[in-house]
Amino acid sequence: MVFGTHPQTLCGPFANPGEIFAGRYVDSTLGKIRFDEWLPQAEAARINRRPSTKARDEPYYRNLVVPTFGTMPLGSIQPVHVQRW
């Protein structure tokens, strides 16, 4: 398999490489995933955490964060929502 180095190759046919490299690109498909569907994926990606840290964080997510943001699509969560929370 050969991988290209051109920005369009790295970013896909519909992405604007300038937006991605500047940190302003938003994946429209990711924005449709509900927070409670995304959270387990995000937690699985956080490596090198002690079991005690995971045990501490899990009740916060379950009791505080998921009841508020769980059914919301990721793309709809705005800073104002977090500030109000």
Side-chain angles (χ1 to χ4, degrees), residues 1 5 8-9 22-23 26 38-40 46 50-52 54 56-58 63 66 73 76 80-81:
M1 183 177 292
T5 57
Q8 201 64 39
T9 304
V26 176
W38 169 81
L39 184 59
R46 294 179 68 192
R50 297 187 313 229
S52 61
K54 292 178 186 179
R56 180 204 64 202
D57 291 350
E58 195 276 328
N63 298 323
V66 172
S76 71
V80 68
H81 297 126

Side-chain angles (χ1 to χ4, degrees), residues 4 8 12 17 29 34 36 38-39 45 49 54-55 79 81 83-84:
Q8 201 64 39
T29 60
R34 289 178 16 165
D36 58 358
W38 169 81
L39 184 59
R49 290 193 314 149
K54 292 178 186 179
H81 297 126
Q83 291 169 347
R84 284 185 199 152

Side-chain angles (χ1 to χ4, degrees), residues 4-69:
T5 57
H6 185 273
Q8 201 64 39
T9 304
L10 296 172
C11 303
F14 304 107
N16 178 338
E19 294 294 307
I20 291 174
F21 295 133
R24 294 186 299 259
Y25 176 73
V26 176
D27 184 346
S28 61
T29 60
L30 181 61
K32 296 175 185 176
I33 296 173
R34 289 178 16 165
F35 182 84
D36 58 358
E37 296 170 346
W38 169 81
L39 184 59
Q41 298 172 33
E43 282 299 294
R46 294 179 68 192
I47 59 173
N48 297 327
R49 290 193 314 149
R50 297 187 313 229
S52 61
T53 303
K54 292 178 186 179
R56 180 204 64 202
D57 291 350
E58 195 276 328
Y60 290 126
Y61 294 137
R62 183 181 66 243
N63 298 323
L64 300 173
V65 181
V66 172
T68 302
F69 299 107

